[in-house]
Amino acid sequence: MFEDGFSLVQLKSLTLLSPEGDLKIECTAMQASQHRSVHELLRDQLPGPLEGRWAVLAAQINLYYPPEPGRTRARVVPIEVTSRGRLNLHQFDARLQAQLERYLVRIGILRPEQTLSAQALPPSTDTLGATASEDA
């Protein structure tokens, strides 16, 4: 278990844009993947986009809390991040927002000076390493 209370982190989905900008693919790890990361599944099934210069336009990360006592299902917190720096953290309560922000800073998605009140980064800043438009 992680120190922040999460029991599992899964990269659930990725949206990628080809270097030429003429092809966008969206890949999602299905339930049958048993919480494997979409990155692992892509690497095994279709490594080209990961080995090439494809830009990451968006990603969904699922954070799982251990099941509550007497329950078998874990609580899932889905975080969506885009190449334009948009996050869906505004939909969570303040306590969970702060916990998620600390986690995202720790894994390098957010910088320490970023705050949840800023829903988008300046255009020159690139959170996921992509420079392409997400509307492609």
Side-chain angles (χ1 to χ4, degrees), residues 61-102:
I61 303 165
N62 283 352
L63 301 170
Y64 293 84
Y65 285 105
E68 294 179 12
R71 302 214 178 221
T72 57
R73 256 201 160 136
R75 177 176 164 217
V76 181
V77 178
I79 299 173
E80 297 171 7
V81 185
T82 72
S83 60
R84 292 184 177 175
R86 281 188 255 155
L87 297 167
N88 68 329
L89 298 182
H90 62 280
Q91 70 186 23
F92 304 112
D93 64 45
R95 182 173 170 220
L96 183 53
Q97 282 181 6
Q99 180 182 9
L100 294 171
E101 181 181 39
R102 284 190 304 273

Short mmCIF file of all heavy atoms in Angstrom, two decimals, residues 61-102:
data_model
loop_
_atom_site.label_atom_id
_atom_site.label_comp_id
_atom_site.label_asym_id
_atom_site.label_seq_id
_atom_site.Cartn_x
_atom_site.Cartn_y
_atom_site.Cartn_z
N ILE A 61 -5.60 8.29 -15.25
CA ILE A 61 -4.93 7.50 -14.22
C ILE A 61 -5.99 7.13 -13.20
O ILE A 61 -6.70 8.00 -12.69
CB ILE A 61 -3.82 8.31 -13.53
CG1 ILE A 61 -2.81 8.81 -14.57
CG2 ILE A 61 -3.15 7.49 -12.44
CD1 ILE A 61 -1.90 9.90 -14.06
N ASN A 62 -6.13 5.84 -12.92
CA ASN A 62 -7.05 5.40 -11.88
C ASN A 62 -6.24 5.11 -10.62
O ASN A 62 -5.29 4.33 -10.66
CB ASN A 62 -7.80 4.13 -12.31
CG ASN A 62 -8.92 4.42 -13.27
OD1 ASN A 62 -9.25 5.57 -13.54
ND2 ASN A 62 -9.53 3.37 -13.79
N LEU A 63 -6.65 5.74 -9.54
CA LEU A 63 -6.05 5.48 -8.23
C LEU A 63 -7.07 4.68 -7.43
O LEU A 63 -8.23 5.07 -7.33
CB LEU A 63 -5.73 6.79 -7.53
CG LEU A 63 -4.78 7.72 -8.28
CD1 LEU A 63 -4.71 9.08 -7.60
CD2 LEU A 63 -3.40 7.11 -8.34
N TYR A 64 -6.64 3.57 -6.88
CA TYR A 64 -7.54 2.68 -6.15
C TYR A 64 -7.23 2.73 -4.66
O TYR A 64 -6.07 2.58 -4.26
CB TYR A 64 -7.37 1.23 -6.64
CG TYR A 64 -7.83 1.01 -8.05
CD1 TYR A 64 -6.98 1.27 -9.12
CD2 TYR A 64 -9.10 0.53 -8.32
CE1 TYR A 64 -7.40 1.06 -10.43
CE2 TYR A 64 -9.52 0.32 -9.62
CZ TYR A 64 -8.67 0.59 -10.67
OH TYR A 64 -9.08 0.39 -11.96
N TYR A 65 -8.26 2.94 -3.87
CA TYR A 65 -8.15 2.80 -2.42
C TYR A 65 -8.47 1.35 -2.08
O TYR A 65 -9.26 0.71 -2.78
CB TYR A 65 -9.19 3.67 -1.70
CG TYR A 65 -8.88 5.14 -1.67
CD1 TYR A 65 -9.57 6.03 -2.49
CD2 TYR A 65 -7.93 5.65 -0.80
CE1 TYR A 65 -9.30 7.39 -2.44
CE2 TYR A 65 -7.67 7.01 -0.75
CZ TYR A 65 -8.36 7.87 -1.57
OH TYR A 65 -8.09 9.21 -1.53
N PRO A 66 -7.90 0.83 -0.98
CA PRO A 66 -8.27 -0.53 -0.59
C PRO A 66 -9.77 -0.57 -0.26
O PRO A 66 -10.34 0.45 0.14
CB PRO A 66 -7.43 -0.81 0.65
CG PRO A 66 -6.65 0.41 0.93
CD PRO A 66 -6.94 1.44 -0.09
N PRO A 67 -10.41 -1.73 -0.41
CA PRO A 67 -11.83 -1.83 -0.07
C PRO A 67 -12.06 -1.48 1.41
O PRO A 67 -11.23 -1.76 2.26
CB PRO A 67 -12.17 -3.30 -0.32
CG PRO A 67 -11.09 -3.81 -1.21
CD PRO A 67 -9.87 -2.99 -0.90
N GLU A 68 -13.19 -0.85 1.67
CA GLU A 68 -13.55 -0.53 3.05
C GLU A 68 -13.87 -1.84 3.77
O GLU A 68 -14.24 -2.83 3.13
CB GLU A 68 -14.76 0.41 3.06
CG GLU A 68 -14.45 1.77 2.48
CD GLU A 68 -15.66 2.69 2.48
OE1 GLU A 68 -16.68 2.37 3.13
OE2 GLU A 68 -15.58 3.73 1.82
N PRO A 69 -13.76 -1.85 5.10
CA PRO A 69 -14.07 -3.08 5.85
C PRO A 69 -15.46 -3.61 5.49
O PRO A 69 -16.43 -2.85 5.43
CB PRO A 69 -14.00 -2.64 7.30
CG PRO A 69 -13.09 -1.45 7.29
CD PRO A 69 -13.34 -0.77 5.97
N GLY A 70 -15.54 -4.89 5.22
CA GLY A 70 -16.81 -5.52 4.87
C GLY A 70 -17.17 -5.42 3.40
O GLY A 70 -18.20 -5.92 2.98
N ARG A 71 -16.34 -4.76 2.62
CA ARG A 71 -16.61 -4.61 1.18
C ARG A 71 -15.51 -5.32 0.39
O ARG A 71 -14.39 -5.47 0.87
CB ARG A 71 -16.65 -3.15 0.79
CG ARG A 71 -17.69 -2.39 1.55
CD ARG A 71 -18.27 -1.32 0.70
NE ARG A 71 -19.30 -0.63 1.44
CZ ARG A 71 -20.43 -0.27 0.91
NH1 ARG A 71 -20.67 -0.52 -0.35
NH2 ARG A 71 -21.33 0.35 1.61
N THR A 72 -15.85 -5.70 -0.83
CA THR A 72 -14.85 -6.36 -1.68
C THR A 72 -14.34 -5.45 -2.78
O THR A 72 -13.29 -5.72 -3.35
CB THR A 72 -15.45 -7.62 -2.34
OG1 THR A 72 -16.61 -7.25 -3.08
CG2 THR A 72 -15.81 -8.66 -1.29
N ARG A 73 -15.06 -4.40 -3.09
CA ARG A 73 -14.68 -3.49 -4.17
C ARG A 73 -13.86 -2.31 -3.68
O ARG A 73 -14.20 -1.67 -2.69
CB ARG A 73 -15.94 -2.93 -4.82
CG ARG A 73 -16.19 -3.57 -6.11
CD ARG A 73 -17.07 -2.72 -6.96
NE ARG A 73 -16.83 -3.22 -8.29
CZ ARG A 73 -17.72 -3.45 -9.16
NH1 ARG A 73 -18.97 -3.17 -8.90
NH2 ARG A 73 -17.41 -3.92 -10.33
N ALA A 74 -12.81 -2.02 -4.42
CA ALA A 74 -11.97 -0.87 -4.11
C ALA A 74 -12.66 0.41 -4.63
O ALA A 74 -13.37 0.38 -5.63
CB ALA A 74 -10.61 -1.03 -4.78
N ARG A 75 -12.43 1.51 -3.95
CA ARG A 75 -12.92 2.80 -4.42
C ARG A 75 -11.93 3.32 -5.47
O ARG A 75 -10.71 3.31 -5.26
CB ARG A 75 -13.00 3.78 -3.26
CG ARG A 75 -13.43 5.16 -3.68
CD ARG A 75 -13.59 6.07 -2.48
NE ARG A 75 -13.63 7.45 -2.93
CZ ARG A 75 -13.09 8.45 -2.29
NH1 ARG A 75 -12.47 8.25 -1.14
NH2 ARG A 75 -13.16 9.66 -2.76
N VAL A 76 -12.43 3.77 -6.61
CA VAL A 76 -11.59 4.23 -7.71
C VAL A 76 -11.73 5.74 -7.85
O VAL A 76 -12.82 6.29 -7.85
CB VAL A 76 -12.01 3.58 -9.05
CG1 VAL A 76 -11.12 4.05 -10.17
CG2 VAL A 76 -12.00 2.08 -8.94
N VAL A 77 -10.58 6.42 -7.97
CA VAL A 77 -10.55 7.85 -8.23
C VAL A 77 -9.88 8.05 -9.59
O VAL A 77 -8.69 7.83 -9.73
CB VAL A 77 -9.75 8.60 -7.13
CG1 VAL A 77 -9.69 10.08 -7.45
CG2 VAL A 77 -10.34 8.35 -5.76
N PRO A 78 -10.67 8.43 -10.61
CA PRO A 78 -10.10 8.64 -11.95
C PRO A 78 -9.59 10.08 -12.12
O PRO A 78 -10.32 11.03 -11.86
CB PRO A 78 -11.28 8.37 -12.89
CG PRO A 78 -12.48 8.73 -12.08
CD PRO A 78 -12.13 8.48 -10.64
N ILE A 79 -8.35 10.22 -12.52
CA ILE A 79 -7.76 11.54 -12.78
C ILE A 79 -7.49 11.63 -14.27
O ILE A 79 -6.88 10.74 -14.86
CB ILE A 79 -6.44 11.72 -12.02
CG1 ILE A 79 -6.67 11.61 -10.53
CG2 ILE A 79 -5.79 13.06 -12.37
CD1 ILE A 79 -5.41 11.60 -9.72
N GLU A 80 -7.98 12.70 -14.88
CA GLU A 80 -7.75 12.93 -16.30
C GLU A 80 -6.83 14.12 -16.47
O GLU A 80 -7.03 15.16 -15.85
CB GLU A 80 -9.08 13.18 -17.02
CG GLU A 80 -10.00 11.98 -16.96
CD GLU A 80 -11.39 12.27 -17.47
OE1 GLU A 80 -11.64 13.37 -18.00
OE2 GLU A 80 -12.24 11.38 -17.32
N VAL A 81 -5.80 13.95 -17.28
CA VAL A 81 -4.80 14.99 -17.54
C VAL A 81 -4.68 15.15 -19.05
O VAL A 81 -4.64 14.15 -19.77
CB VAL A 81 -3.42 14.59 -16.97
CG1 VAL A 81 -2.42 15.72 -17.12
CG2 VAL A 81 -3.52 14.14 -15.53
N THR A 82 -4.62 16.39 -19.53
CA THR A 82 -4.44 16.62 -20.96
C THR A 82 -3.09 17.29 -21.22
O THR A 82 -2.47 17.84 -20.29
CB THR A 82 -5.55 17.51 -21.56
OG1 THR A 82 -5.36 18.84 -21.10
CG2 THR A 82 -6.93 16.99 -21.20
N SER A 83 -2.68 17.28 -22.47
CA SER A 83 -1.41 17.91 -22.84
C SER A 83 -1.47 19.42 -22.65
O SER A 83 -0.43 20.07 -22.60
CB SER A 83 -1.05 17.57 -24.29
OG SER A 83 -2.04 18.04 -25.16
N ARG A 84 -2.64 19.97 -22.55
CA ARG A 84 -2.77 21.41 -22.29
C ARG A 84 -2.77 21.72 -20.81
O ARG A 84 -3.00 22.85 -20.40
CB ARG A 84 -4.06 21.93 -22.92
CG ARG A 84 -4.00 21.89 -24.42
CD ARG A 84 -5.22 22.51 -25.01
NE ARG A 84 -5.13 22.52 -26.46
CZ ARG A 84 -6.09 22.91 -27.25
NH1 ARG A 84 -7.23 23.32 -26.75
NH2 ARG A 84 -5.93 22.89 -28.55
N GLY A 85 -2.55 20.72 -20.00
CA GLY A 85 -2.45 20.94 -18.56
C GLY A 85 -3.77 20.95 -17.83
O GLY A 85 -3.83 21.30 -16.67
N ARG A 86 -4.84 20.56 -18.49
CA ARG A 86 -6.14 20.51 -17.82
C ARG A 86 -6.25 19.26 -16.98
O ARG A 86 -5.82 18.19 -17.38
CB ARG A 86 -7.28 20.56 -18.84
CG ARG A 86 -7.51 21.96 -19.32
CD ARG A 86 -8.74 22.04 -20.17
NE ARG A 86 -8.26 22.16 -21.54
CZ ARG A 86 -8.92 21.80 -22.61
NH1 ARG A 86 -10.10 21.27 -22.52
NH2 ARG A 86 -8.40 21.96 -23.80
N LEU A 87 -6.85 19.43 -15.81
CA LEU A 87 -7.07 18.33 -14.88
C LEU A 87 -8.54 18.32 -14.49
O LEU A 87 -9.19 19.35 -14.47
CB LEU A 87 -6.24 18.52 -13.61
CG LEU A 87 -4.73 18.52 -13.77
CD1 LEU A 87 -4.07 19.03 -12.51
CD2 LEU A 87 -4.25 17.12 -14.09
N ASN A 88 -9.05 17.16 -14.09
CA ASN A 88 -10.44 17.08 -13.65
C ASN A 88 -10.55 17.13 -12.12
O ASN A 88 -11.57 16.74 -11.56
CB ASN A 88 -11.09 15.80 -14.17
CG ASN A 88 -10.51 14.54 -13.54
OD1 ASN A 88 -9.34 14.50 -13.18
ND2 ASN A 88 -11.31 13.51 -13.41
N LEU A 89 -9.54 17.63 -11.44
CA LEU A 89 -9.53 17.58 -9.99
C LEU A 89 -10.59 18.46 -9.33
O LEU A 89 -10.93 18.25 -8.18
CB LEU A 89 -8.14 17.97 -9.46
CG LEU A 89 -6.99 17.05 -9.89
CD1 LEU A 89 -5.70 17.50 -9.26
CD2 LEU A 89 -7.28 15.60 -9.56
N HIS A 90 -11.12 19.42 -10.06
CA HIS A 90 -12.13 20.31 -9.49
C HIS A 90 -13.39 19.57 -9.06
O HIS A 90 -14.14 20.06 -8.23
CB HIS A 90 -12.50 21.40 -10.51
CG HIS A 90 -13.11 20.85 -11.76
ND1 HIS A 90 -12.34 20.31 -12.77
CD2 HIS A 90 -14.40 20.71 -12.13
CE1 HIS A 90 -13.14 19.88 -13.73
NE2 HIS A 90 -14.40 20.11 -13.37
N GLN A 91 -13.61 18.36 -9.54
CA GLN A 91 -14.83 17.63 -9.21
C GLN A 91 -14.74 16.93 -7.85
O GLN A 91 -15.74 16.40 -7.37
CB GLN A 91 -15.16 16.62 -10.30
CG GLN A 91 -14.21 15.44 -10.37
CD GLN A 91 -14.49 14.54 -11.55
OE1 GLN A 91 -15.09 14.95 -12.54
NE2 GLN A 91 -14.07 13.30 -11.46
N PHE A 92 -13.58 16.94 -7.22
CA PHE A 92 -13.40 16.27 -5.93
C PHE A 92 -13.47 17.28 -4.79
O PHE A 92 -13.22 18.47 -4.98
CB PHE A 92 -12.07 15.52 -5.91
CG PHE A 92 -11.93 14.52 -7.04
CD1 PHE A 92 -11.01 14.73 -8.05
CD2 PHE A 92 -12.72 13.39 -7.09
CE1 PHE A 92 -10.88 13.82 -9.09
CE2 PHE A 92 -12.61 12.48 -8.14
CZ PHE A 92 -11.68 12.70 -9.13
N ASP A 93 -13.76 16.79 -3.58
CA ASP A 93 -13.80 17.69 -2.44
C ASP A 93 -12.39 18.18 -2.11
O ASP A 93 -11.40 17.62 -2.58
CB ASP A 93 -14.46 17.04 -1.22
CG ASP A 93 -13.70 15.83 -0.67
OD1 ASP A 93 -12.46 15.90 -0.54
OD2 ASP A 93 -14.35 14.82 -0.36
N ALA A 94 -12.31 19.25 -1.31
CA ALA A 94 -11.03 19.92 -1.05
C ALA A 94 -9.98 18.97 -0.45
O ALA A 94 -8.81 19.03 -0.80
CB ALA A 94 -11.24 21.13 -0.14
N ARG A 95 -10.40 18.10 0.45
CA ARG A 95 -9.46 17.18 1.10
C ARG A 95 -8.86 16.21 0.07
O ARG A 95 -7.65 16.00 0.03
CB ARG A 95 -10.18 16.42 2.21
CG ARG A 95 -9.28 15.49 2.97
CD ARG A 95 -10.00 14.89 4.16
NE ARG A 95 -9.21 13.84 4.73
CZ ARG A 95 -9.70 12.71 5.17
NH1 ARG A 95 -10.99 12.49 5.16
NH2 ARG A 95 -8.91 11.79 5.66
N LEU A 96 -9.72 15.65 -0.78
CA LEU A 96 -9.23 14.72 -1.79
C LEU A 96 -8.41 15.46 -2.84
O LEU A 96 -7.39 14.95 -3.31
CB LEU A 96 -10.40 13.97 -2.44
CG LEU A 96 -10.03 12.90 -3.47
CD1 LEU A 96 -9.03 11.88 -2.93
CD2 LEU A 96 -11.29 12.21 -3.98
N GLN A 97 -8.80 16.69 -3.19
CA GLN A 97 -8.02 17.49 -4.13
C GLN A 97 -6.59 17.66 -3.62
O GLN A 97 -5.64 17.49 -4.37
CB GLN A 97 -8.64 18.88 -4.32
CG GLN A 97 -9.82 18.92 -5.21
CD GLN A 97 -10.36 20.33 -5.37
OE1 GLN A 97 -9.77 21.30 -4.90
NE2 GLN A 97 -11.48 20.46 -6.05
N ALA A 98 -6.45 18.00 -2.34
CA ALA A 98 -5.12 18.21 -1.77
C ALA A 98 -4.31 16.92 -1.81
O ALA A 98 -3.12 16.93 -2.13
CB ALA A 98 -5.24 18.74 -0.35
N GLN A 99 -4.95 15.79 -1.49
CA GLN A 99 -4.25 14.50 -1.51
C GLN A 99 -3.81 14.17 -2.94
O GLN A 99 -2.67 13.74 -3.17
CB GLN A 99 -5.17 13.40 -0.97
CG GLN A 99 -4.51 12.03 -0.96
CD GLN A 99 -5.45 10.95 -0.47
OE1 GLN A 99 -6.64 11.17 -0.30
NE2 GLN A 99 -4.93 9.77 -0.27
N LEU A 100 -4.70 14.38 -3.90
CA LEU A 100 -4.38 14.09 -5.29
C LEU A 100 -3.29 15.01 -5.80
O LEU A 100 -2.39 14.59 -6.53
CB LEU A 100 -5.63 14.19 -6.16
CG LEU A 100 -6.71 13.15 -5.88
CD1 LEU A 100 -7.98 13.48 -6.66
CD2 LEU A 100 -6.22 11.75 -6.17
N GLU A 101 -3.36 16.28 -5.42
CA GLU A 101 -2.33 17.23 -5.84
C GLU A 101 -0.96 16.79 -5.34
O GLU A 101 0.01 16.78 -6.09
CB GLU A 101 -2.65 18.63 -5.34
CG GLU A 101 -1.61 19.65 -5.78
CD GLU A 101 -1.94 21.04 -5.26
OE1 GLU A 101 -2.39 21.16 -4.11
OE2 GLU A 101 -1.72 21.99 -6.01
N ARG A 102 -0.87 16.40 -4.06
CA ARG A 102 0.42 15.93 -3.51
C ARG A 102 0.93 14.72 -4.29
O ARG A 102 2.10 14.63 -4.62
CB ARG A 102 0.27 15.57 -2.03
CG ARG A 102 0.21 16.76 -1.10
CD ARG A 102 0.31 16.35 0.37
NE ARG A 102 -0.70 15.38 0.77
CZ ARG A 102 -1.93 15.70 1.20
NH1 ARG A 102 -2.29 16.96 1.29
NH2 ARG A 102 -2.77 14.77 1.56
#
